[in-house]
Amino acid sequence: MHYPIGLLFDLLASSSALPWNITVHFKSFPEKDLLHCPSKDAIEAHFMSCMKEADALKHKSQVINEMQKKDHKQLWMGLQNDRFDQFWAINRKLMEYPAEENGFRYIPFRIYQTTTERPFIQKLFRPVAADGQLHTLGDLLKEVCPSAVAPEDGERKNQVMIHGIEPMLETPLQWLSEHLSYPDNFLHISIIPQPTD
């Protein structure tokens, strides 16, 4: 329940098969095999916690703290009821930044790998370099997860996926964060071995 479904698909799917079969249980829930979600309130609390963490990285929590409780509720209800307009009316504020800053304070991201025991990598990373240049996805990977990037003269061993697509490493990180973040406002990046099928 902690990972978005699209991220799970990126991590587990191959080009030839779906990653799982889904069985819906209406009785006799398999408590030994699956973690039972305690309530909808627990999911909402987890979602809002992620939103607050992302805003702390992007805006020092200023945007989310200025919102009223009804705005928080509108974010959750829009997501829960698949109402994009309702969700985006509030989430838009979390995606804005002052023009003079050229981007967020830090990019809220998590990098997931299938070849490591570590659940994910998350570090502070600014979208703009000290010289004013926009950092790219490649810059982030070189600093945070260098094994994900092929040497300039070498063969690619990994594939970088976000929302089921493989973005170019030259893509500005600020743009990716604004346009490919999940509803929790995090950029969830999957690094998977280069497919052989």
Side-chain angles (χ1 to χ4, degrees):
M1 106 176 177
H2 291 92
Y3 290 174
I5 191 78
L7 169 66
L8 291 173
F9 187 84
D10 286 349
L11 289 171
L12 302 173
S14 72
S15 59
S16 63
L18 293 175
W20 54 80
N21 293 318
I22 297 176
T23 304
V24 178
H25 295 273
F26 292 101
K27 58 183 176 181
S28 304
F29 187 84
E31 298 281 347
K32 294 178 186 170
D33 301 323
L34 297 175
L35 188 63
H36 198 275
C37 178
S39 68
K40 274 200 287 186
D41 291 340
I43 296 172
E44 180 181 357
H46 175 73
F47 172 73
M48 288 310 299
S49 175
C50 289
M51 294 287 285
K52 289 176 182 179
E53 182 180 355
D55 190 51
L57 292 167
K58 293 194 293 190
H59 308 108
K60 298 182 184 177
S61 298
Q62 292 172 342
V63 176
I64 201 105
N65 287 341
E66 289 174 3
M67 290 181 182
Q68 297 177 8
K69 180 112 175 110
K70 70 178 182 69
D71 296 329
H72 293 190
K73 207 60 166 168
Q74 183 175 336
L75 268 173
W76 173 246
M77 295 304 291
L79 181 67
Q80 178 183 326
N81 297 322
D82 198 25
R83 301 279 316 269
F84 178 77
D85 293 345
Q86 183 181 2
F87 175 81
W88 191 250
I90 303 300
N91 194 60
R92 176 181 291 114
K93 299 172 190 173
L94 294 162
M95 288 296 174
E96 295 171 347
Y97 57 87
E100 65 274 2
E101 292 182 19
N102 295 327
F104 302 137
R105 197 168 129 246
Y106 295 105
I107 297 292
F109 74 90
R110 291 183 177 146
I111 296 176
Y112 304 81
Q113 301 173 84
T114 57
T115 57
T116 180
E117 294 296 314
R118 192 173 180 185
F120 57 81
I121 299 169
Q122 180 177 344
K123 295 183 177 180
L124 295 178
F125 194 84
R126 293 188 183 273
V128 181
D131 64 1
Q133 292 281 50
L134 292 176
H135 276 135
T136 64
L137 176 58
D139 295 331
L140 172 71
L141 294 174
K142 284 175 193 163
E143 183 171 321
V144 176
C145 190
S147 64
V149 182
E152 291 187 21
D153 60 347
E155 182 181 336
R156 281 186 27 188
K157 294 183 174 124
N158 294 303
Q159 190 175 23
V160 179
M161 302 291 289
I162 304 172
H163 284 288
I165 61 171
E166 188 173 5
M168 296 186 332
L169 297 181
E170 298 80 25
T171 308
L173 206 50
Q174 178 68 37
W175 187 92
L176 286 172
S177 185
E178 290 175 43
H179 300 289
L180 292 181
S181 286
Y182 279 76
D184 64 2
N185 278 239
F186 272 86
L187 194 57
H188 294 278
I189 304 166
S190 302
I191 298 173
I192 57 174
Q194 191 70 25
T196 56
D197 55 353

